[in-house]
């Protein structure tokens, strides 16, 4: 940890300005300063990075690799400064120099290499692994374009490419020496060896070079620096890959060149939805093959134990099924390159890989056409086929009671490879991400697998790093907390429970209220700068920020807004507590309904925000381009956290945890981790409403719900829907007819109408509670106090002790 003073720190920054930017403090731009500071931090990190790596080799430490197609990192400048113990002096220095730290730090472009929760979870896990000194590394893809940048034009979402590497990314180091080849296509040849075993060789494959870029993962003030290795796809050196010859493979060669460019070209912008695109399969295999080859190579170089002990020294966690080709790839390397028999290789593989399930949405379950895998990855297909044969035979003979269900269990069925099944069969651990989610996996979605492998299934409720999502983004609240209970909560987030002692302490509640007010003022300023709308700083800041998806039900939220609008129009003197409804959300580019909802929010905003009868009783704000940095600005100011998914659909959620930790009260369904929040804070400190997951699942199974009945019988619902149909909020008559018809003709598949009444009631209760500010603040403090459980430190301790069996490196 750094021992710099402001003066010595300034000197280092000046040196970097001079050497790297040819500037002095006087003529440096904010961008120059950003790069100079990042260079100082890098110097601070590097010795510890080398030492951490060396110690793992010296100690022959068992290590874990977290494989993920997504890492939604956001900016690193502040968290790296903080973790090196230099954030405070850096901020003070910049302020002394008359600079705004924010203006300097914003020159780091968000690393948006993820869609939403799943990618952000991976980033929080890296932070916790390093901060707890666990030997764990990330492995992902260095997409040239991250998640698209969202602009809103006339209420419509428009996507722009996110070229985050345009300016140099100061945290990465290219490691050309460690490049590896990944092969696609071609043919497999079998040879019988003298001892009658088979040998496989590949011919005519296209070679892609995987070049790693390493990003340091800095632990919190503990001298530990782990690695995030991001792979970039490149062409092999020209002379090796293409020689003019008689067969004239010129076009094939050009094709290959183009396709190599694409492999690490961009992140697929789809969340919770599966698309069987060949390029996506290539990306998955590219990540998996480079990572596993690298792990095996490293093992052989540095470990003294034989490769047959691989699983004793390595655990590989796969983040959803996206990297589940890790199973056949590890088999391939162990058999074809290292000479293991099938049984030996299977024993090692099955004891190395662990799988995290993130969703039960059927539209998100990955299934690849067998033909696609066969032609793109012929050897991998042979191995999957063999895994499937042996697995199905095993059931037939050893579990006759499950024979009937083989079509639902088989890894290959109806000409498709089912990736979740491959992951379950080839791993030693299958975990869900919240209690309810894991129960649904065991009792419904994966019932038969659960009866086959009961001990594989386990729960690891998600978490978030409280160092970023509280300490860093909400310095005001952090210092009030530290003043009250001391700084131990930073390394032991469960200590936040000590705040309960102050939940009736009036001077403390004053401070909590002051902090929220100041944070709301900050956000109000951001809103004014970005949208031009001036919001009432005394209104309730009611926040729903997350990917736009029908199951997350932003529609229910905006229906509530429309309902309130109608009420006030009906009775302009209505006494309501003013509200600011804040939305931020990206929709997948091809997701029509999601984009319609974004448009509806904007059209409602443009009616409500400028209606004289409404005044500042209601404002509707949509902040464009939701990403980690925007989340960091909104969350400290949130008072209501909208977590209103259709019960059973949100595996965990992590936005709910971030807002709870910053003192917002949740209005939510009994879904995902909301249930665990409720169990901690109690019913009096959360607003729970709506159908339960059992009720939802029963409706899906047995029917019995009719949306049209509600349309007919509930005047409020009919008014809202008719307004959509009749163009009340559109620039044209027909603007939102599709939403109207979608709900009524498809029988409201996400139960928006069904939950409408209890949702309105919850909001009426929220309004009554908010009028008693002291009571509200007590509830807020209770939420902060109990949020320690949702630190990803707790989650990572559980993974480490129950799945990975790794030790903290003290
Ligand atoms: C936390 C986070 C998410 C996940 O939010 P949910 O409400 O759990 O869906 C998505 N995107 C960003 C940028 C986040 O920070």
């Amino acid at each position: 940890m750094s021992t710099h003073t402001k003066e010595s720190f300034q000197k280092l920054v000046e040196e970097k300005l001079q050497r790297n930017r040819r500037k002095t403090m006087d003529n440096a731009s904010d961008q120059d300063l950003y790069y100079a500071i990042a260079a100082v931090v890098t110097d601070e990190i590097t010795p510890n990075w080398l030492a951490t790596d060396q110690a793992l080799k010296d100690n022959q430490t068992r290590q874990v690799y977290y494989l993920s197609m997504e890492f939604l990192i956001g900016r690193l400048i502040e968290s790296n400064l903080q973790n090196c113990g230099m954030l405070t002096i850096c901020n003070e220095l910049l302020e002394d120099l008359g600079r705004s730290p924010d203006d300097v730090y914003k020159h780091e472009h968000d690393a948006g290499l993820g869609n939403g929760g799943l990618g952000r979870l991976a980033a929080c896990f890296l932070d916790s692994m390093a901060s707890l000194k666990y030997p764990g590394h990330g492995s992902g893809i260095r997409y040239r374009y991250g998640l698209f940048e969202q602009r809103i034009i006339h209420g419509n979402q428009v996507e722009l490419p996110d070229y985050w590497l345009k300016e140099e990314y100061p945290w990465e180091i290219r490691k050309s020496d460690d490049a590896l080849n990944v092969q696609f296509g071609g043919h497999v040849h079998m040879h019988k060896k003298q001892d009658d075993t088979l040998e496989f060789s590949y011919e005519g494959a296209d070679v892609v070079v995987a070049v790693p870029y390493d990003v340091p993962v800095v632990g919190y003030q503990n001298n530990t620096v782990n690695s995030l290795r991001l792979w970039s796809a490149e062409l092999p050196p020209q002379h090796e890959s293409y020689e003019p010859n008689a067969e004239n493979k010129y076009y094939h060669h050009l094709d290959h060149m183009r396709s190599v460019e694409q492999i690490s070209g961009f992140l697929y912008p789809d969340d919770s939805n599966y698309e069987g695109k060949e390029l996506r399969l290539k990306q998955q295999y590219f990540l998996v093959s480079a990572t596993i080859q690298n792990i095996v190579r490293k093992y052989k170089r540095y470990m003294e134990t034989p490769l047959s002990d691989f699983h004793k020294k390595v655990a590989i966690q796969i983040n959803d099924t996206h990297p589940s080709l890790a199973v056949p790839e590890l088999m391939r390397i162990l058999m074809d390159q290292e000479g293991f028999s099938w049984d030996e290789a299977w024993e090692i593989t099955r004891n190395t890989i662990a799988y995290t399930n993130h969703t039960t949405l059927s539209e998100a379950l990955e299934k690849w056409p067998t033909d696609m895998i066969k032609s793109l990855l012929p050897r991998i297909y042979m191995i999957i086929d063999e895994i499937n044969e042996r697995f199905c035979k095993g059931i037939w003979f050893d579990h006759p009671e499950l024979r009937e269900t083989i079509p639902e269990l088989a890894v290959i069925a109806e000409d498709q490879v089912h990736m979740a099944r491959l992951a379950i069969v080839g791993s030693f651990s299958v975990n869900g991400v919240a209690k309810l989610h894991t129960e649904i996996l065991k009792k419904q979605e994966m019932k038969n697998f659960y009866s086959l492998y009961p001990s594989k299934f386990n729960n690891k409720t998600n978490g978030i790093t409280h160092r970023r999502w509280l300490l860093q983004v909400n310095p005001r609240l952090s210092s009030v907390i530290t003043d009250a209970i001391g700084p131990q909560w930073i390394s032991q987030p469960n200590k936040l429970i000590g705040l309960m002692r102050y939940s009736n302490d009036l001077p403390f509640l004053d401070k909590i209220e002051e902090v929220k007010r100041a944070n709301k003022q900050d956000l109000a300023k951001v809103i004014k700068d970005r949208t031009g709308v001036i919001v009432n700083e005394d209104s309730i800041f009611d926040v729903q920020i997350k990917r736009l998806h029908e199951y997350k039900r932003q529609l229910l939220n905006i229906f509530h807004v429309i309902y309130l609008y109608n009420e006030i129009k009906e009775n302009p003197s209505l006494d309501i507590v003013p509200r600011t409804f804040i939305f931020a959300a990206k929709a997948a580019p091809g997701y029509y309904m999601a984009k319609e909802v974004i448009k509806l929010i904007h059209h409602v905003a443009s009616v409500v925000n400028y209606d004289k009868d409404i005044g500042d009783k209601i404002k509707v704000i949509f902040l464009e381009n939701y990403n980690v940095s925007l989340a960091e600005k909104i969350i400290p100011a949130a008072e209501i956290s909208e977590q209103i998914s259709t019960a059973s659909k949100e595996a965990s959620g992590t936005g709910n945890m971030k807002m709870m930790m910053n003192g917002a009260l949740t209005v939510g369904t009994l879904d995902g981790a909301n249930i665990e929040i409720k169990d901690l804070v109690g019913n009096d400190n959360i607003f729970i409403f709506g159908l339960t997951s059992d009720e939802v699942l029963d409706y899906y199974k047995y029917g019995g719900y009719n949306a049209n009945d509600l349309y007919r019988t509930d005047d409020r619902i009919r008014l809202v829907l008719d307004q959509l149909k009749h163009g009340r909020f559109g620039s044209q008559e027909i603007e939102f007819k599709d939403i109207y018809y979608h709900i009524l003709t498809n029988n409201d598949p996400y139960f928006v109408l069904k939950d409408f009444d209890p949702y309105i009631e919850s909001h009426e209760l929220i309004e009554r509670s908010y009028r008693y500010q002291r009571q509200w603040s007590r509830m807020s403090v209770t939420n902060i106090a109990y949020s320690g459980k949702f630190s990803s430190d707790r989650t990572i301790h559980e993974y480490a002790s129950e799945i990975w069996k790794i030790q903290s490196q003290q």
Side-chain angles (χ1 to χ4, degrees):
M1 193 185 140
S2 145
T3 53
H4 288 299
T5 62
K6 215 190 312 177
E7 291 68 33
S8 67
F9 184 75
Q10 172 163 5
K11 196 155 167 293
L12 294 176
V13 173
E14 279 169 343
E15 280 170 22
K16 295 295 181 194
L17 277 176
Q18 211 173 82
R19 177 186 304 222
N20 301 347
R21 314 289 297 181
R22 305 275 154 85
K23 291 284 181 75
T24 65
M25 215 41 119
D26 294 330
N27 65 3
S29 66
D30 283 342
Q31 190 186 40
D32 292 324
L33 274 168
Y34 162 68
Y35 279 107
I37 293 165
V40 172
V41 175
T42 300
D43 284 354
E44 188 74 24
I45 290 170
T46 307
N48 290 329
W49 200 0
L50 291 169
T52 303
D53 202 36
Q54 190 58 46
L56 296 179
K57 289 170 187 163
D58 291 346
N59 301 333
Q60 301 279 297
T61 311
R62 173 172 167 84
Q63 300 186 41
V64 59
Y65 295 86
Y66 196 83
L67 253 74
S68 179
M69 288 287 283
E70 305 190 11
F71 286 91
L72 189 48
I73 312 174
R75 293 192 183 122
L76 286 178
I77 181 74
E78 273 175 281
S79 59
N80 283 350
L81 276 164
Q82 180 174 77
N83 293 356
C84 291
M86 305 198 295
L87 183 60
T88 312
I89 52 168
C90 186
N91 285 343
E92 284 174 11
L93 172 66
L94 290 170
E95 269 151 21
D96 289 356
L97 295 166
R99 309 274 187 151
S100 134
D102 260 6
D103 287 344
V104 171
Y105 302 149
K106 76 177 181 214
H107 283 279
E108 179 162 333
H109 195 116
D110 267 47
L113 309 183
N115 273 286
L118 174 149
R120 184 54 233 176
L121 184 77
C124 284
F125 280 5
L126 294 181
D127 182 273
S128 283
M129 286 192 287
S131 294
L132 300 172
K133 289 178 163 280
Y134 281 116
H137 317 283
S139 190
I141 294 180
R142 182 181 179 267
Y143 301 105
R144 272 195 309 288
Y145 294 88
L147 186 61
F148 66 86
E149 192 183 309
Q150 179 193 54
R151 295 271 174 82
I152 305 291
I153 298 179
H154 304 310
N156 294 302
Q157 169 175 298
V158 173
E159 301 90 21
L160 298 176
D162 166 58
Y163 190 28
W164 68 293
L165 294 167
K166 188 160 84 193
E167 307 284 337
E168 181 200 339
Y169 186 58
W171 307 114
E172 66 180 8
I173 302 181
R174 179 181 167 93
K175 291 284 187 70
S176 318
D177 286 0
D178 284 350
L180 289 160
N181 289 345
V182 176
Q183 306 204 348
F184 292 96
H187 303 281
V188 181
H189 294 286
M190 276 191 281
H191 322 269
K192 214 173 215 160
K193 291 197 290 191
Q194 280 159 348
D195 60 357
D196 258 10
T197 59
L198 293 173
E199 187 177 61
F200 295 88
S201 63
Y202 324 132
E203 222 172 64
D206 290 324
V207 175
V208 175
V209 181
V211 181
Y213 287 71
D214 287 351
V215 177
V217 181
V218 184
Y220 181 75
Q221 304 189 355
N222 66 0
N223 297 329
T224 297
V225 182
N226 291 338
S227 297
L228 167 60
R229 182 155 262 207
L230 298 175
W231 297 93
S232 178
E234 296 183 8
L235 269 176
Q238 199 69 15
H239 62 98
E240 280 176 26
S241 76
Y242 179 62
E243 301 221 333
N245 60 30
E247 286 174 75
N248 201 348
K249 294 193 176 150
Y250 179 67
Y251 287 105
H252 179 84
H253 174 65
L254 284 185
D255 231 28
H256 180 50
M257 274 173 54
R258 196 174 44 91
S259 98
V260 169
E261 298 259 291
Q262 288 178 346
I263 289 177
S264 52
F266 70 96
L267 167 75
Y268 274 91
D270 233 322
D271 192 51
S272 309
N273 200 56
Y274 161 74
E275 270 195 296
K277 292 264 165 47
E278 186 180 49
L279 177 56
R280 171 80 176 176
L281 179 63
K282 278 190 188 172
Q283 292 184 330
Q284 295 185 347
Y285 183 66
F286 173 75
L287 166 66
V288 157
S289 181
T291 306
I292 307 252
Q293 287 186 63
N294 182 53
I295 300 171
V296 170
R297 178 176 66 184
K298 207 166 133 189
Y299 183 100
K300 287 167 68 181
R301 268 188 205 160
Y302 301 112
M303 288 299 179
E304 285 148 19
T305 41
L307 200 54
S308 53
D309 283 349
F310 187 75
H311 53 288
K312 296 178 185 159
K313 292 290 183 184
V314 174
I316 295 174
Q317 190 72 38
I318 58 174
N319 196 21
D320 212 318
T321 57
H322 317 148
S324 46
L325 291 174
V327 173
E329 177 65 2
L330 182 54
M331 290 294 288
R332 182 188 71 82
I333 292 169
L334 292 173
M335 294 187 302
D336 297 1
Q337 292 178 0
E338 305 296 339
F340 286 98
S341 70
W342 179 280
D343 290 334
E344 292 163 337
W346 185 241
E347 179 70 11
I348 295 170
T349 300
R350 232 171 27 73
N351 285 298
T352 300
I353 292 169
Y355 156 54
T356 302
N357 175 282
H358 280 272
T359 181
T360 56
L361 299 180
S362 56
E363 64 268 31
L365 288 184
E366 291 192 300
K367 304 181 283 273
W368 294 103
T370 49
D371 285 345
M372 198 189 283
I373 299 195
K374 241 185 246 178
S375 70
L376 196 64
L377 308 166
R379 178 61 182 139
I380 291 297
Y381 184 77
M382 293 169 74
I383 294 170
I384 296 173
D385 197 33
E386 180 78 22
I387 291 172
N388 182 49
E389 283 286 312
R390 288 173 184 242
F391 170 69
C392 292
K393 269 197 196 123
I395 295 178
W396 185 265
F397 291 112
D398 303 337
H399 297 275
E401 76 284 2
L402 289 175
R403 278 182 191 174
E404 302 251 293
T405 66
I406 287 182
E408 296 156 44
L409 294 171
V411 176
I412 301 176
E414 293 180 358
D415 294 323
Q416 292 187 309
V417 177
H418 291 249
M419 303 305 263
R421 302 178 192 173
L422 176 63
I424 299 169
V425 172
S427 63
F428 67 91
S429 164
V430 177
N431 77 280
V433 291
K435 279 182 194 159
L436 173 70
H437 170 58
T438 302
E439 286 311 304
I440 292 176
L441 289 180
K442 293 204 281 199
K443 299 213 175 101
Q444 325 235 1
E445 301 301 317
M446 297 180 168
K447 191 171 78 198
N448 292 327
F449 278 112
Y450 179 55
S451 71
L452 201 54
Y453 309 121
S455 63
K456 277 194 196 186
F457 284 74
N458 65 95
N459 176 247
K460 297 288 167 283
T461 298
N462 281 168
I464 55 166
T465 165
H466 62 289
R467 284 168 294 273
R468 176 181 289 257
W469 293 108
L470 176 52
L471 183 62
Q472 179 190 317
V473 308
N474 199 342
R476 291 188 184 105
L477 181 57
S478 300
S479 87
V480 168
I481 293 172
T482 299
D483 286 349
I485 61 170
Q488 289 79 20
W489 65 273
I490 297 168
S491 49
Q492 295 159 269
N494 275 330
K495 296 258 180 206
L496 286 170
I497 197 65
L499 290 173
M500 283 313 283
R501 183 181 310 179
Y502 298 91
S503 66
N504 281 309
D505 180 305
L506 297 186
F508 181 77
L509 295 179
D510 277 340
K511 287 192 211 159
I512 290 289
E513 287 161 22
E514 238 168 74
V515 164
K516 192 59 90 179
R517 201 173 309 121
N519 290 341
K520 284 168 72 181
Q521 282 165 0
D522 285 355
L523 181 58
K525 204 168 161 308
V526 170
I527 291 171
K528 166 135 193 303
D529 289 348
R530 298 192 182 190
T531 68
V533 179
I534 296 172
V535 302
N536 179 350
E537 288 172 3
D538 295 323
S539 63
I540 306 176
F541 278 25
D542 183 325
V543 174
Q544 188 172 23
I545 49 174
K546 47 182 76 251
R547 281 300 287 259
L548 214 141
H549 204 294
E550 286 165 280
Y551 85 78
K552 292 178 181 280
R553 297 200 298 189
Q554 282 90 353
L555 196 55
L556 179 57
N557 188 343
I558 200 69
F559 278 9
H560 171 228
V561 176
I562 297 173
Y563 158 76
L564 278 181
Y565 173 75
N566 292 337
E567 291 290 293
I568 300 172
K569 290 300 277 184
E570 178 92 354
N571 175 10
S573 61
L574 195 70
D575 176 29
I576 72 155
V577 180
R579 290 249 197 169
T580 301
F581 293 94
I582 298 166
F583 294 87
K586 287 175 181 173
Y591 191 169
Y592 174 73
M593 267 304 150
K595 289 182 147 181
E596 283 292 291
V597 173
I598 289 180
K599 191 165 71 177
L600 177 61
I601 295 169
H602 280 88
H603 281 265
V604 171
S606 64
V607 170
V608 170
N609 292 353
Y610 303 101
D611 188 314
K612 293 255 162 11
D613 289 343
I614 304 300
D616 66 357
K617 284 180 179 155
I618 309 178
K619 286 276 180 284
V620 180
I621 303 297
F622 188 103
L623 291 169
E624 64 186 6
N625 199 37
Y626 183 51
N627 61 12
V628 171
S629 290
L630 182 58
E632 291 173 1
K633 290 196 162 68
I634 298 172
I635 288 169
E639 295 180 290
I640 285 291
S641 161
E642 298 272 354
Q643 307 300 337
I644 58 178
S645 54
T646 308
S648 80
K649 301 268 177 196
E650 187 76 271
S652 163
T654 49
N656 45 3
M657 303 169 183
K658 296 170 196 164
M659 284 197 265
M660 171 199 195
M661 202 174 264
N662 282 272
L665 306 190
T666 303
V667 55
T669 46
L670 287 171
D671 202 16
N674 297 351
I675 295 173
E676 288 160 72
I677 295 177
K678 184 213 74 175
D679 288 345
L680 285 169
V681 301
N683 275 315
D684 292 345
N685 295 295
I686 189 167
F687 303 96
I688 294 292
F689 72 96
L691 293 174
T692 64
S693 58
D694 284 338
E695 289 169 336
V696 167
L697 295 170
D698 280 352
Y699 275 133
Y700 284 136
K701 224 175 180 166
Y702 307 112
Y705 170 54
N706 188 340
N708 279 282
D709 287 348
L710 284 174
Y711 174 74
R712 271 194 301 275
T713 54
D714 189 323
D715 297 342
R716 302 162 305 175
I717 289 177
R718 194 170 56 254
L719 179 57
V720 171
L721 282 173
D722 286 348
Q723 285 172 325
L724 295 191
K725 192 178 168 204
H726 297 134
R728 177 69 187 81
F729 299 103
S731 44
Q732 303 154 293
E733 273 277 296
I734 48 147
E735 200 81 68
F736 297 110
K737 274 198 165 62
D738 287 343
I739 296 180
Y740 171 93
Y741 283 114
H742 179 60
I743 289 201
L744 291 181
T745 57
N746 295 340
N747 199 30
D748 185 18
Y750 296 94
F751 301 98
V752 173
L753 304 190
K754 182 76 183 162
D755 278 346
F756 180 82
D757 177 67
Y759 183 58
I760 301 291
E761 239 178 67
S762 255
H763 272 291
E764 285 167 355
L765 180 57
I766 287 170
E767 170 159 345
R768 288 195 295 278
S769 312
Y770 197 80
R771 290 177 192 267
Y772 298 92
Q773 223 199 24
R774 279 297 132 109
Q775 181 56 25
W776 185 273
S777 304
R778 269 192 281 274
M779 293 163 76
S780 174
V781 169
T782 304
N783 273 267
I784 302 167
Y786 281 99
S787 69
K789 162 169 176 182
F790 300 108
S791 166
S792 45
D793 286 6
R794 188 266 312 149
T795 316
I796 285 298
H797 276 311
E798 290 176 5
Y799 274 91
S801 72
E802 295 163 24
I803 301 179
W804 302 334
K805 317 282 185 203
I806 55 169
Q807 307 294 324
S808 178
Q809 304 296 293
Q810 287 315 325

